[in-house]
Amino acid sequence: MKEESKEFTPNILYALCSWCGSGGSETAGAMKLHYPENVKPVRFYCTGGIDPVYIFRALLEGADGVVVSGCHPGDCHFDTGNYRARRRIAAVKTILNTLGLDGDRVWLRWVGHGEGKRFVDTASEFDEHIQEKGPSPLKGIRGV
Amino acid sequence: MIREIPRVGVYVCHCGANIAAKVDVEEVARFASKLDFVESARDYKFMCSDPGQQLVVDDIREKGLNRIVVASCSPRMHEKTFRKACQKAGLNPYYFQMACIREHDAWVTEDPGEATDKAKELVQGAVSRVLHHESLVPRTVDINPNVLVIGGGIAGMQAALTIADAGKTVYLVEREPCIGGNMAKFDKTFPTLDCAACILTPKMVAVGQHENIELLTYSEVVDVEGFVGNFKATVRKKPRYVDMDKCTGCGVCNEKCPAKAISEFDQGLSKRKAIYSPFPQAVPNTPVIDRDMCIYFKKGKCRACEKFCEADAIDFDQQEEKITLDVGAIIVATGFKPFDPSVAERYGYGKYPEVYTSLEFERVNNATGPTEGQIRLKDGRVPETMAIIHCVGSRDKNHNAYCSRVCCMYSMKYAHLIREKTGANVYEFYIDIRSPGKGYEEFYNRVQSEGVQFIRGNVAGVTDKAIGEDEKGKLIVLAEDSLSGRFLRVPVDAVVLSVGLEAAEGAEAVARMVGISQDQDGWFNELHPKLAPQATPSDGIFLAGCCQGPKDIPDTVSTANGAAAEALSLIMREKVEVEAAVSSIDAERCMGCRQCETICMFDAIEYDSALNVCVVNEAICKGCGLCASTCPNKAIGVRHFGNEQILSEMEGVML
Ligand SMILES: Cc1cc2nc3c(=O)[nH]c(=O)nc-3n(C[C@H](O)[C@H](O)[C@H](O)COP(=O)(O)OP(=O)(O)OC[C@H]3O[C@@H](n4cnc5c(N)ncnc54)[C@H](O)[C@@H]3O)c2cc1C
């Protein structure tokens, strides 16, 4: 249950690879573990295929934060896609910070197929984290 | 790019009460009906049922729908089902999108109002996405008809035999010098008390002699590449230092070898030689030289085995070998290892010599074991009282929370054998008796009637600190009898710890290699715990036996046959359909920088030097999208996971 006092419900995108990340989210489902409804999973094929543009676009279009989960190091379905993702997310954070925006609105955390609890914990922690930060200054900047 | 005017049909599934109890499905359908391009939206009890699918088929035909969205469970469950329904109605299956409102919403959201809102967002995301879908044609590739089985326990052996009997080639890779796994160490097997060797040996021989099975013992798979239908596995064959083609298995080398080592097979209860076969009926019966213990390898002198070998089979120069196998499917059957009770100090294992693990006790009972099957204390006396402690390492938050499933039954097997062989009093310290299975409860009743004493309660510890006269020289089991509420001290001569099962040593490396995952306890995850128990999320990789969780032999054999059937069903198809979602390069935009070529781990991108552009080989591409996100000119798109599709879904779910 969300607290009554919560003034702001962040809009959060949870980008998942089709293997471990989605698997974790489904395990969470099967275990009936709860997480805030404002965290919305979107399925990608591999985290390595997540173009930094997607993350920027999400932030521009109204997301207050984006969290990405793929396979643990060594477990990637495509061998090294998750390492690419790690590097790209690091770059995205740097770019955001450089622009005076907040790189910490983007998280990357590995979640394995069976790790329903870790998935839910990540979703909840990230939600709290973004709540503390408040709405994204970029929100709706494209005026769409 | 939207080429024709989309006419979208949206179907919101109740999934019985799974979704409908949380999400107001009618409201979601109403909401969906107002979205742009949505022609019709409705809710239905079970979309995956025949009538549910028929709704889709009929609507496509009657209402001229050309895009379909089903909001129900995870695409892993039913994406294929609905794609097929589309196809049946003449619509390209890729004009379909699933919104996951069960696993991603109804099951994980507490508040019904919020769950309904989230369902709307997820549906909106799917509708926006499907507008940008393109018609794709799935590709087919040839399947290699050979199968690799990793692990030669009863599971791997059974799977190999079933496949080989169907006329297909199987490579069975076992890391120990011989096959048989844990079962080969047992004496009798519950509940029928057949002798393990009597039922296992013929199977081992059948595996060894089968013309379609290539047995690779003392070998490990070190790398797996490729994908369903076309895997390439690299196997490392450790040197045996004995030529398998020449060796007759006469055993003279073993007799003459002067170096002794601890027998792993006998659980450390006996000695073996440096040149050895783990047990007399081993398959293959070619011994191996333990390099670390061999006097020749250590000191450069001895070669006794070589001198006496009439077959001239000893070869100290043998080298490790690496071979590659091409296979279409892989069955993982790496089994389990027993829980190590030395980490649970209260049981006194390692401290008191008369405390045994169950696997040690199997060897004690076994006619080819260290005591030739006689139950004797270390000083040779026949025990008068024995305790068997259940759930050691299992159902214990400090170790493994799960039940290991077989320990109650094998514990009662021991009780029976002890009564039969020695007449000793037996105390079974149990928490609950788990005896589900054919003839299992009957076996429990039988053991009870044989005078075995069952004490329900947790064991606090085992000690040799005697209080009374009757405890002198004994081990005392301290336990609470939870039925009478009394605290007991039970003096016994020996204790058997019924240790639980854990995932095999090295399971993690195997998981990584073949691209499957482990659960929190280390067991391999199946694709679906109920409906796809042998398949894994990695196509072409199947599971058999205890590597996916504790099992008795009957269940192990069933799962092995299940995995074999699935592997056969795959390779018999000869061709496999692979995702149509592959990359494509827009030659107009490509500047031939070749970054994609470097980054692609499947070598699916080639450089055309004449045109100075890169080209995707669609037969090899797996659609991971690495190249697309790398391309500095945005010249690469991944079909079905293209920019338009992803961005529109993202924007859709954010409302
Ligand atoms: C003490 C005890 C008594 C039992 N008694 C009974 C009984 O009476 N009746 C009954 O029905 N069940 C009994 N069971 C359960 C039974 O042992 C299992 O059901 C059965 O052994 C499972 O077979 P498996 O092939 O899956 O695994 P295993 O027997 O563990 O075989 C796995 C094989 O894979 C090999 N391997 C592992 N990793 C690799 C790798 N990376 N590469 C290559 N090879 C590898 C191993 O060396 C091993 O040979 C008992 C279990 C225990 C612990």
Side-chain angles (χ1 to χ4, degrees), chain A residues 2 25-26 34-35 39 45 48 51 54 57 75 78 80 88, chain B residues 74 76 104 108 114 118 512 601 623 626 629-630 634 643 651:
Chain A
K2 274 185 296 178
S25 77
E26 285 163 25
H34 290 157
Y35 56 91
V39 178
Y45 212 46
D51 194 316
Y54 298 163
R57 267 286 277 277
D75 286 353
F78 302 108
T80 56
R88 292 214 177 96
Chain B
S74 144
R76 222 184 283 262
H104 282 172
V108 294
E114 287 174 351
K118 187 175 185 182
R512 290 225 159 131
M601 47 229 163
L626 268 194
S629 54
T630 301
K634 301 283 163 245
N643 291 344
E651 287 171 25

PDB file of all heavy atoms in Angstrom, chain A residues 2 25-26 34-35 39 45 48 51 54 57 75 78 80 88, chain B residues 74 76 104 108 114 118 512 601 623 626 629-630 634 643 651:
ATOM      1  N   LYS A   2       0.526   2.156  -0.807  1.00  0.00           N
ATOM      2  CA  LYS A   2       1.300   3.393  -0.821  1.00  0.00           C
ATOM      3  C   LYS A   2       0.853   4.296   0.317  1.00  0.00           C
ATOM      4  O   LYS A   2      -0.314   4.293   0.710  1.00  0.00           O
ATOM      5  CB  LYS A   2       1.127   4.101  -2.169  1.00  0.00           C
ATOM      6  CG  LYS A   2       2.128   3.561  -3.184  1.00  0.00           C
ATOM      7  CD  LYS A   2       2.062   4.320  -4.455  1.00  0.00           C
ATOM      8  CE  LYS A   2       0.701   4.104  -5.079  1.00  0.00           C
ATOM      9  NZ  LYS A   2       0.556   4.860  -6.307  1.00  0.00           N
ATOM     10  N   SER A  25      10.841 -10.553 -13.479  1.00  0.00           N
ATOM     11  CA  SER A  25       9.565  -9.880 -13.273  1.00  0.00           C
ATOM     12  C   SER A  25       8.435 -10.900 -13.248  1.00  0.00           C
ATOM     13  O   SER A  25       7.460 -10.753 -12.516  1.00  0.00           O
ATOM     14  CB  SER A  25       9.326  -8.849 -14.389  1.00  0.00           C
ATOM     15  OG  SER A  25       8.925  -9.492 -15.585  1.00  0.00           O
ATOM     16  N   GLU A  26       8.583 -11.962 -14.015  1.00  0.00           N
ATOM     17  CA  GLU A  26       7.532 -12.977 -14.036  1.00  0.00           C
ATOM     18  C   GLU A  26       7.585 -13.865 -12.802  1.00  0.00           C
ATOM     19  O   GLU A  26       6.559 -14.308 -12.291  1.00  0.00           O
ATOM     20  CB  GLU A  26       7.639 -13.818 -15.308  1.00  0.00           C
ATOM     21  CG  GLU A  26       7.125 -13.038 -16.498  1.00  0.00           C
ATOM     22  CD  GLU A  26       7.549 -13.621 -17.824  1.00  0.00           C
ATOM     23  OE1 GLU A  26       7.825 -14.824 -17.882  1.00  0.00           O
ATOM     24  OE2 GLU A  26       7.623 -12.848 -18.800  1.00  0.00           O
ATOM     25  N   HIS A  34       4.463  -7.856  -4.243  1.00  0.00           N
ATOM     26  CA  HIS A  34       3.931  -6.566  -4.684  1.00  0.00           C
ATOM     27  C   HIS A  34       5.008  -5.516  -4.880  1.00  0.00           C
ATOM     28  O   HIS A  34       6.008  -5.509  -4.182  1.00  0.00           O
ATOM     29  CB  HIS A  34       2.909  -6.052  -3.663  1.00  0.00           C
ATOM     30  CG  HIS A  34       1.655  -6.865  -3.662  1.00  0.00           C
ATOM     31  ND1 HIS A  34       0.797  -6.930  -2.592  1.00  0.00           N
ATOM     32  CD2 HIS A  34       1.129  -7.665  -4.612  1.00  0.00           C
ATOM     33  CE1 HIS A  34      -0.208  -7.732  -2.887  1.00  0.00           C
ATOM     34  NE2 HIS A  34      -0.029  -8.194  -4.097  1.00  0.00           N
ATOM     35  N   TYR A  35       4.784  -4.630  -5.843  1.00  0.00           N
ATOM     36  CA  TYR A  35       5.627  -3.445  -5.992  1.00  0.00           C
ATOM     37  C   TYR A  35       4.754  -2.317  -6.508  1.00  0.00           C
ATOM     38  O   TYR A  35       3.648  -2.561  -6.989  1.00  0.00           O
ATOM     39  CB  TYR A  35       6.839  -3.715  -6.881  1.00  0.00           C
ATOM     40  CG  TYR A  35       6.569  -4.232  -8.276  1.00  0.00           C
ATOM     41  CD1 TYR A  35       6.417  -3.357  -9.344  1.00  0.00           C
ATOM     42  CD2 TYR A  35       6.497  -5.599  -8.533  1.00  0.00           C
ATOM     43  CE1 TYR A  35       6.188  -3.833 -10.642  1.00  0.00           C
ATOM     44  CE2 TYR A  35       6.271  -6.069  -9.809  1.00  0.00           C
ATOM     45  CZ  TYR A  35       6.108  -5.193 -10.856  1.00  0.00           C
ATOM     46  OH  TYR A  35       5.888  -5.666 -12.123  1.00  0.00           O
ATOM     47  N   VAL A  39       5.513   1.643 -11.458  1.00  0.00           N
ATOM     48  CA  VAL A  39       6.710   1.127 -12.113  1.00  0.00           C
ATOM     49  C   VAL A  39       6.247   0.245 -13.266  1.00  0.00           C
ATOM     50  O   VAL A  39       5.616  -0.790 -13.048  1.00  0.00           O
ATOM     51  CB  VAL A  39       7.562   0.296 -11.131  1.00  0.00           C
ATOM     52  CG1 VAL A  39       8.782  -0.280 -11.842  1.00  0.00           C
ATOM     53  CG2 VAL A  39       7.970   1.132  -9.943  1.00  0.00           C
ATOM     54  N   TYR A  45      14.722  -6.743 -26.189  1.00  0.00           N
ATOM     55  CA  TYR A  45      15.210  -8.082 -26.486  1.00  0.00           C
ATOM     56  C   TYR A  45      16.421  -8.384 -25.605  1.00  0.00           C
ATOM     57  O   TYR A  45      16.478  -9.391 -24.929  1.00  0.00           O
ATOM     58  CB  TYR A  45      15.554  -8.178 -27.971  1.00  0.00           C
ATOM     59  CG  TYR A  45      15.320  -9.564 -28.495  1.00  0.00           C
ATOM     60  CD1 TYR A  45      14.147 -10.256 -28.179  1.00  0.00           C
ATOM     61  CD2 TYR A  45      16.252 -10.195 -29.295  1.00  0.00           C
ATOM     62  CE1 TYR A  45      13.926 -11.537 -28.641  1.00  0.00           C
ATOM     63  CE2 TYR A  45      16.031 -11.475 -29.772  1.00  0.00           C
ATOM     64  CZ  TYR A  45      14.865 -12.137 -29.438  1.00  0.00           C
ATOM     65  OH  TYR A  45      14.657 -13.411 -29.894  1.00  0.00           O
ATOM     66  N   GLY A  48      21.615  -4.944 -24.140  1.00  0.00           N
ATOM     67  CA  GLY A  48      22.634  -4.417 -25.047  1.00  0.00           C
ATOM     68  C   GLY A  48      22.030  -3.673 -26.226  1.00  0.00           C
ATOM     69  O   GLY A  48      22.706  -2.899 -26.897  1.00  0.00           O
ATOM     70  N   ASP A  51      19.218   1.530 -26.796  1.00  0.00           N
ATOM     71  CA  ASP A  51      19.892   2.718 -27.318  1.00  0.00           C
ATOM     72  C   ASP A  51      19.775   3.814 -26.266  1.00  0.00           C
ATOM     73  O   ASP A  51      18.694   4.030 -25.725  1.00  0.00           O
ATOM     74  CB  ASP A  51      19.168   3.126 -28.609  1.00  0.00           C
ATOM     75  CG  ASP A  51      19.971   4.124 -29.407  1.00  0.00           C
ATOM     76  OD1 ASP A  51      20.502   5.066 -28.791  1.00  0.00           O
ATOM     77  OD2 ASP A  51      20.050   3.951 -30.638  1.00  0.00           O
ATOM     78  N   TYR A  54      16.758   5.900 -26.252  1.00  0.00           N
ATOM     79  CA  TYR A  54      15.498   5.468 -25.631  1.00  0.00           C
ATOM     80  C   TYR A  54      15.365   6.076 -24.236  1.00  0.00           C
ATOM     81  O   TYR A  54      14.300   6.498 -23.812  1.00  0.00           O
ATOM     82  CB  TYR A  54      15.431   3.943 -25.498  1.00  0.00           C
ATOM     83  CG  TYR A  54      15.471   3.168 -26.792  1.00  0.00           C
ATOM     84  CD1 TYR A  54      15.768   1.816 -26.789  1.00  0.00           C
ATOM     85  CD2 TYR A  54      15.203   3.783 -28.009  1.00  0.00           C
ATOM     86  CE1 TYR A  54      15.809   1.081 -27.970  1.00  0.00           C
ATOM     87  CE2 TYR A  54      15.245   3.065 -29.197  1.00  0.00           C
ATOM     88  CZ  TYR A  54      15.555   1.715 -29.170  1.00  0.00           C
ATOM     89  OH  TYR A  54      15.598   0.998 -30.335  1.00  0.00           O
ATOM     90  N   ARG A  57      14.779   9.782 -24.462  1.00  0.00           N
ATOM     91  CA  ARG A  57      13.420  10.031 -24.910  1.00  0.00           C
ATOM     92  C   ARG A  57      12.422   9.796 -23.786  1.00  0.00           C
ATOM     93  O   ARG A  57      11.492  10.576 -23.580  1.00  0.00           O
ATOM     94  CB  ARG A  57      13.063   9.117 -26.087  1.00  0.00           C
ATOM     95  CG  ARG A  57      13.321   9.728 -27.449  1.00  0.00           C
ATOM     96  CD  ARG A  57      12.305  10.790 -27.830  1.00  0.00           C
ATOM     97  NE  ARG A  57      11.069  10.256 -28.392  1.00  0.00           N
ATOM     98  CZ  ARG A  57      10.910   9.901 -29.658  1.00  0.00           C
ATOM     99  NH1 ARG A  57      11.902  10.047 -30.509  1.00  0.00           N
ATOM    100  NH2 ARG A  57       9.767   9.415 -30.089  1.00  0.00           N
ATOM    101  N   ASP A  75      25.886 -14.121 -17.561  1.00  0.00           N
ATOM    102  CA  ASP A  75      24.673 -14.880 -17.868  1.00  0.00           C
ATOM    103  C   ASP A  75      23.958 -14.420 -19.130  1.00  0.00           C
ATOM    104  O   ASP A  75      22.916 -14.954 -19.469  1.00  0.00           O
ATOM    105  CB  ASP A  75      23.665 -14.751 -16.708  1.00  0.00           C
ATOM    106  CG  ASP A  75      24.084 -15.572 -15.504  1.00  0.00           C
ATOM    107  OD1 ASP A  75      25.066 -16.327 -15.635  1.00  0.00           O
ATOM    108  OD2 ASP A  75      23.441 -15.456 -14.451  1.00  0.00           O
ATOM    109  N   PHE A  78      23.024 -13.313 -24.913  1.00  0.00           N
ATOM    110  CA  PHE A  78      23.837 -13.009 -26.093  1.00  0.00           C
ATOM    111  C   PHE A  78      25.286 -12.765 -25.690  1.00  0.00           C
ATOM    112  O   PHE A  78      25.986 -11.971 -26.302  1.00  0.00           O
ATOM    113  CB  PHE A  78      23.266 -11.791 -26.820  1.00  0.00           C
ATOM    114  CG  PHE A  78      21.840 -11.979 -27.237  1.00  0.00           C
ATOM    115  CD1 PHE A  78      20.818 -11.302 -26.598  1.00  0.00           C
ATOM    116  CD2 PHE A  78      21.525 -12.861 -28.249  1.00  0.00           C
ATOM    117  CE1 PHE A  78      19.501 -11.490 -26.988  1.00  0.00           C
ATOM    118  CE2 PHE A  78      20.208 -13.058 -28.635  1.00  0.00           C
ATOM    119  CZ  PHE A  78      19.195 -12.367 -28.005  1.00  0.00           C
ATOM    120  N   THR A  80      27.496 -10.963 -24.251  1.00  0.00           N
ATOM    121  CA  THR A  80      28.092  -9.757 -23.700  1.00  0.00           C
ATOM    122  C   THR A  80      27.185  -8.539 -23.796  1.00  0.00           C
ATOM    123  O   THR A  80      27.627  -7.423 -23.578  1.00  0.00           O
ATOM    124  CB  THR A  80      29.401  -9.416 -24.439  1.00  0.00           C
ATOM    125  OG1 THR A  80      29.090  -9.318 -25.830  1.00  0.00           O
ATOM    126  CG2 THR A  80      30.453 -10.484 -24.237  1.00  0.00           C
ATOM    127  N   ARG A  88      26.934   1.601 -21.616  1.00  0.00           N
ATOM    128  CA  ARG A  88      26.071   2.659 -22.151  1.00  0.00           C
ATOM    129  C   ARG A  88      25.370   3.409 -21.036  1.00  0.00           C
ATOM    130  O   ARG A  88      25.242   4.625 -21.078  1.00  0.00           O
ATOM    131  CB  ARG A  88      25.012   2.055 -23.064  1.00  0.00           C
ATOM    132  CG  ARG A  88      25.620   1.508 -24.306  1.00  0.00           C
ATOM    133  CD  ARG A  88      24.709   1.675 -25.499  1.00  0.00           C
ATOM    134  NE  ARG A  88      25.434   1.185 -26.652  1.00  0.00           N
ATOM    135  CZ  ARG A  88      25.281  -0.055 -27.115  1.00  0.00           C
ATOM    136  NH1 ARG A  88      24.404  -0.868 -26.577  1.00  0.00           N
ATOM    137  NH2 ARG A  88      26.010  -0.437 -28.131  1.00  0.00           N
TER     138      ARG A  88
ATOM    139  N   SER B  74       2.033 -13.363 -19.469  1.00  0.00           N
ATOM    140  CA  SER B  74       3.322 -13.027 -20.069  1.00  0.00           C
ATOM    141  C   SER B  74       3.398 -13.590 -21.491  1.00  0.00           C
ATOM    142  O   SER B  74       2.900 -14.680 -21.759  1.00  0.00           O
ATOM    143  CB  SER B  74       4.423 -13.646 -19.212  1.00  0.00           C
ATOM    144  OG  SER B  74       5.466 -14.077 -20.025  1.00  0.00           O
ATOM    145  N   ARG B  76       5.705 -15.015 -22.736  1.00  0.00           N
ATOM    146  CA  ARG B  76       6.372 -16.306 -22.656  1.00  0.00           C
ATOM    147  C   ARG B  76       5.337 -17.439 -22.636  1.00  0.00           C
ATOM    148  O   ARG B  76       5.584 -18.532 -23.100  1.00  0.00           O
ATOM    149  CB  ARG B  76       7.194 -16.365 -21.372  1.00  0.00           C
ATOM    150  CG  ARG B  76       8.543 -16.981 -21.530  1.00  0.00           C
ATOM    151  CD  ARG B  76       9.203 -17.062 -20.186  1.00  0.00           C
ATOM    152  NE  ARG B  76       9.724 -15.778 -19.734  1.00  0.00           N
ATOM    153  CZ  ARG B  76      10.994 -15.419 -19.861  1.00  0.00           C
ATOM    154  NH1 ARG B  76      11.853 -16.219 -20.406  1.00  0.00           N
ATOM    155  NH2 ARG B  76      11.397 -14.254 -19.427  1.00  0.00           N
ATOM    156  N   HIS B 104       2.723  -8.706 -14.685  1.00  0.00           N
ATOM    157  CA  HIS B 104       3.225  -7.342 -14.494  1.00  0.00           C
ATOM    158  C   HIS B 104       2.214  -6.421 -13.838  1.00  0.00           C
ATOM    159  O   HIS B 104       2.447  -5.228 -13.707  1.00  0.00           O
ATOM    160  CB  HIS B 104       3.654  -6.747 -15.856  1.00  0.00           C
ATOM    161  CG  HIS B 104       4.991  -7.255 -16.304  1.00  0.00           C
ATOM    162  ND1 HIS B 104       5.514  -6.996 -17.539  1.00  0.00           N
ATOM    163  CD2 HIS B 104       5.917  -8.017 -15.664  1.00  0.00           C
ATOM    164  CE1 HIS B 104       6.704  -7.578 -17.653  1.00  0.00           C
ATOM    165  NE2 HIS B 104       6.960  -8.212 -16.529  1.00  0.00           N
ATOM    166  N   VAL B 108       0.900  -8.419  -8.998  1.00  0.00           N
ATOM    167  CA  VAL B 108       1.932  -7.707  -8.239  1.00  0.00           C
ATOM    168  C   VAL B 108       1.466  -6.360  -7.705  1.00  0.00           C
ATOM    169  O   VAL B 108       2.257  -5.619  -7.133  1.00  0.00           O
ATOM    170  CB  VAL B 108       3.208  -7.496  -9.107  1.00  0.00           C
ATOM    171  CG1 VAL B 108       3.858  -8.830  -9.420  1.00  0.00           C
ATOM    172  CG2 VAL B 108       2.888  -6.748 -10.384  1.00  0.00           C
ATOM    173  N   GLU B 114      -5.516   0.972  -8.679  1.00  0.00           N
ATOM    174  CA  GLU B 114      -4.198   1.189  -9.280  1.00  0.00           C
ATOM    175  C   GLU B 114      -3.888   0.117 -10.317  1.00  0.00           C
ATOM    176  O   GLU B 114      -3.305   0.397 -11.367  1.00  0.00           O
ATOM    177  CB  GLU B 114      -3.121   1.178  -8.192  1.00  0.00           C
ATOM    178  CG  GLU B 114      -3.145   2.440  -7.346  1.00  0.00           C
ATOM    179  CD  GLU B 114      -2.172   2.377  -6.170  1.00  0.00           C
ATOM    180  OE1 GLU B 114      -1.604   1.295  -5.912  1.00  0.00           O
ATOM    181  OE2 GLU B 114      -2.004   3.414  -5.503  1.00  0.00           O
ATOM    182  N   LYS B 118      -2.975   0.700 -14.164  1.00  0.00           N
ATOM    183  CA  LYS B 118      -1.752   0.182 -14.780  1.00  0.00           C
ATOM    184  C   LYS B 118      -2.090  -0.679 -15.991  1.00  0.00           C
ATOM    185  O   LYS B 118      -1.392  -0.620 -17.015  1.00  0.00           O
ATOM    186  CB  LYS B 118      -0.940  -0.636 -13.768  1.00  0.00           C
ATOM    187  CG  LYS B 118       0.414  -1.065 -14.303  1.00  0.00           C
ATOM    188  CD  LYS B 118       1.242  -1.771 -13.239  1.00  0.00           C
ATOM    189  CE  LYS B 118       2.640  -2.098 -13.734  1.00  0.00           C
ATOM    190  NZ  LYS B 118       3.423  -2.824 -12.727  1.00  0.00           N
ATOM    191  N   ARG B 512      25.986 -21.096 -16.939  1.00  0.00           N
ATOM    192  CA  ARG B 512      26.527 -20.006 -17.758  1.00  0.00           C
ATOM    193  C   ARG B 512      26.808 -20.471 -19.169  1.00  0.00           C
ATOM    194  O   ARG B 512      26.492 -19.802 -20.141  1.00  0.00           O
ATOM    195  CB  ARG B 512      27.856 -19.540 -17.167  1.00  0.00           C
ATOM    196  CG  ARG B 512      27.635 -18.840 -15.881  1.00  0.00           C
ATOM    197  CD  ARG B 512      28.439 -17.584 -15.783  1.00  0.00           C
ATOM    198  NE  ARG B 512      27.777 -16.781 -14.777  1.00  0.00           N
ATOM    199  CZ  ARG B 512      28.391 -16.200 -13.780  1.00  0.00           C
ATOM    200  NH1 ARG B 512      29.694 -16.268 -13.697  1.00  0.00           N
ATOM    201  NH2 ARG B 512      27.717 -15.499 -12.913  1.00  0.00           N
ATOM    202  N   MET B 601      28.569 -10.610 -31.856  1.00  0.00           N
ATOM    203  CA  MET B 601      29.266 -11.797 -31.363  1.00  0.00           C
ATOM    204  C   MET B 601      28.877 -13.048 -32.124  1.00  0.00           C
ATOM    205  O   MET B 601      29.306 -14.132 -31.819  1.00  0.00           O
ATOM    206  CB  MET B 601      29.035 -11.978 -29.879  1.00  0.00           C
ATOM    207  CG  MET B 601      27.638 -11.848 -29.445  1.00  0.00           C
ATOM    208  SD  MET B 601      27.682 -10.719 -28.064  1.00  0.00           S
ATOM    209  CE  MET B 601      25.997 -10.248 -27.964  1.00  0.00           C
ATOM    210  N   GLY B 623      19.185 -11.180 -33.473  1.00  0.00           N
ATOM    211  CA  GLY B 623      18.277 -10.080 -33.150  1.00  0.00           C
ATOM    212  C   GLY B 623      18.519  -9.419 -31.809  1.00  0.00           C
ATOM    213  O   GLY B 623      17.621  -8.782 -31.259  1.00  0.00           O
ATOM    214  N   LEU B 626      22.455  -5.334 -30.512  1.00  0.00           N
ATOM    215  CA  LEU B 626      23.695  -4.644 -30.143  1.00  0.00           C
ATOM    216  C   LEU B 626      24.182  -3.717 -31.252  1.00  0.00           C
ATOM    217  O   LEU B 626      24.595  -2.592 -31.008  1.00  0.00           O
ATOM    218  CB  LEU B 626      24.792  -5.668 -29.858  1.00  0.00           C
ATOM    219  CG  LEU B 626      24.951  -6.140 -28.445  1.00  0.00           C
ATOM    220  CD1 LEU B 626      26.271  -6.855 -28.273  1.00  0.00           C
ATOM    221  CD2 LEU B 626      24.884  -4.959 -27.507  1.00  0.00           C
ATOM    222  N   SER B 629      22.064  -0.479 -31.593  1.00  0.00           N
ATOM    223  CA  SER B 629      22.287   0.568 -30.604  1.00  0.00           C
ATOM    224  C   SER B 629      23.705   1.122 -30.705  1.00  0.00           C
ATOM    225  O   SER B 629      24.023   2.154 -30.144  1.00  0.00           O
ATOM    226  CB  SER B 629      21.993   0.056 -29.196  1.00  0.00           C
ATOM    227  OG  SER B 629      22.724  -1.104 -28.936  1.00  0.00           O
ATOM    228  N   THR B 630      24.574   0.417 -31.441  1.00  0.00           N
ATOM    229  CA  THR B 630      25.947   0.887 -31.597  1.00  0.00           C
ATOM    230  C   THR B 630      26.100   1.810 -32.810  1.00  0.00           C
ATOM    231  O   THR B 630      26.895   2.739 -32.790  1.00  0.00           O
ATOM    232  CB  THR B 630      26.896  -0.322 -31.775  1.00  0.00           C
ATOM    233  OG1 THR B 630      26.768  -1.140 -30.625  1.00  0.00           O
ATOM    234  CG2 THR B 630      28.333   0.107 -31.928  1.00  0.00           C
ATOM    235  N   LYS B 634      22.674   5.417 -37.047  1.00  0.00           N
ATOM    236  CA  LYS B 634      21.324   4.882 -36.912  1.00  0.00           C
ATOM    237  C   LYS B 634      20.869   4.236 -38.226  1.00  0.00           C
ATOM    238  O   LYS B 634      19.740   4.427 -38.666  1.00  0.00           O
ATOM    239  CB  LYS B 634      20.335   5.987 -36.481  1.00  0.00           C
ATOM    240  CG  LYS B 634      20.696   6.627 -35.162  1.00  0.00           C
ATOM    241  CD  LYS B 634      20.311   5.708 -34.002  1.00  0.00           C
ATOM    242  CE  LYS B 634      21.012   6.101 -32.716  1.00  0.00           C
ATOM    243  NZ  LYS B 634      21.954   5.122 -32.204  1.00  0.00           N
ATOM    244  N   ASN B 643      13.137   1.144 -33.451  1.00  0.00           N
ATOM    245  CA  ASN B 643      12.969   2.387 -32.694  1.00  0.00           C
ATOM    246  C   ASN B 643      11.506   2.795 -32.552  1.00  0.00           C
ATOM    247  O   ASN B 643      11.037   3.099 -31.470  1.00  0.00           O
ATOM    248  CB  ASN B 643      13.734   3.519 -33.385  1.00  0.00           C
ATOM    249  CG  ASN B 643      15.228   3.308 -33.272  1.00  0.00           C
ATOM    250  OD1 ASN B 643      15.673   2.503 -32.455  1.00  0.00           O
ATOM    251  ND2 ASN B 643      15.996   4.003 -34.086  1.00  0.00           N
ATOM    252  N   GLU B 651       6.181   5.362 -24.768  1.00  0.00           N
ATOM    253  CA  GLU B 651       5.333   6.531 -24.603  1.00  0.00           C
ATOM    254  C   GLU B 651       3.920   6.117 -24.215  1.00  0.00           C
ATOM    255  O   GLU B 651       3.280   6.760 -23.401  1.00  0.00           O
ATOM    256  CB  GLU B 651       5.333   7.356 -25.898  1.00  0.00           C
ATOM    257  CG  GLU B 651       6.662   8.058 -26.055  1.00  0.00           C
ATOM    258  CD  GLU B 651       6.837   8.722 -27.421  1.00  0.00           C
ATOM    259  OE1 GLU B 651       5.815   9.053 -28.053  1.00  0.00           O
ATOM    260  OE2 GLU B 651       7.988   8.892 -27.815  1.00  0.00           O
TER     261      GLU B 651
END
